[in-house]
Amino acid sequence: AQSVTQLGSHVSVSEGALVLLRCNYSSSVPPYLFWYVQYPNQGLQLLLKYTSAATLVKGINGFEAEFKKSETSFHLTKPSAHMSDAAEYFCAVSRWGTALIFGKGTTLSVSS
Amino acid sequence: EAGVVQSPRYKIIEKKQPVAFWCNPISGHNTLYWYLQNLGQGPELLIRYENEEAVDDSQLPKDRFSAERLKGVDSTLKIQPAELGDSAVYLCASSLDGGSAGGAHEQFFGPGTRLTVL
């Protein structure tokens, strides 16, 4: 069975600081991995996805994530946080022919 | 291009009443998903359609929940009767193809319907 664990339900950073949101997955076969962002009262928007090509994946809004098979991790990073990055972030995993399995989410707060 | 449309955006009902949610996916998207998102949690799949066929409804509480996707386009999710624990956000998503390409295709999400059961 597949599962996703997001470490830290709430992360706070200062504007301009590094953003690091952690995600570990469990899958018996090579997975597809995703990061989604959700702003208040809105649906989820895809930030980036890993589909077994390059292990370092670049997404929108300056975010990137690195797939590390040995650590079963897919952490999300951004070099410099912006106030507009404050939102809920979800890591998700899937396999061929299945729907997404989401983690519980991490709330990112950005202070000035 | 229009995104996934859901209505209503908000619904407040008394327990034991019926309620229905509507979803219009992105044009040309064969796969449609209904997810349940409880407060402080990630979305959980309720049902997945490939065209008009429900290919994964194992997590749908069939005693009170039902869904349909007529003509393989719009979809309706119904709860009858609603219970207090059904209060949540119901998200609809669509993708080009959830089968042959598996989960690699991006799922596009609607804004959701926030249900409050009193």
Side-chain angles (χ1 to χ4, degrees), chain A residues 3-93:
Chain A
S3 66
V4 170
T5 301
Q6 291 187 240
L7 301 175
S9 60
H10 198 156
V11 171
S12 297
V13 300
S14 299
E15 193 171 22
L18 171 72
V19 175
L20 171 60
L21 304 182
R22 300 178 186 273
C23 173
N24 287 90
Y25 70 90
S26 173
S27 177
S28 58
V29 296
Y32 300 124
L33 292 161
F34 305 79
W35 275 100
Y36 278 84
V37 61
Q38 187 176 33
Y39 297 99
N41 298 316
Q42 295 186 29
L44 282 75
Q45 179 184 9
L46 181 68
L47 280 176
L48 48 81
K49 64 181 180 182
Y50 167 76
T51 58
S52 75
T55 57
L56 181 62
V57 181
K58 294 186 182 299
I60 62 172
N61 301 336
F63 285 93
E64 63 181 36
E66 185 172 9
F67 172 70
K68 292 187 176 180
K69 184 178 179 180
S70 61
E71 299 177 8
T72 61
S73 69
F74 190 58
H75 300 331
L76 182 71
T77 61
K78 182 174 181 177
S80 176
H82 191 272
M83 297 294 287
S84 61
D85 294 327
E88 186 84 12
Y89 291 81
F90 293 95
C91 182
V93 63

Side-chain angles (χ1 to χ4, degrees), chain A residues 32 34 36 38 41-44 46 49 51 90 94-100 102-104, chain B residues 9 35 37 40-43 45 48 91 98-100 102-104 106-107 109-111 114:
Chain A
Y32 300 124
F34 305 79
Y36 278 84
Q38 187 176 33
N41 298 316
Q42 295 186 29
L44 282 75
L46 181 68
K49 64 181 180 182
T51 58
F90 293 95
S94 74
R95 290 187 291 110
W96 182 91
T98 69
L100 295 169
F102 287 87
K104 292 186 176 183
Chain B
R9 289 294 313 277
Y35 288 89
Q37 186 176 22
Q41 302 292 318
L45 181 71
R48 175 167 68 101
L91 294 166
S100 62
E106 177 181 354
Q107 292 184 27
F109 284 80
R114 183 177 297 276

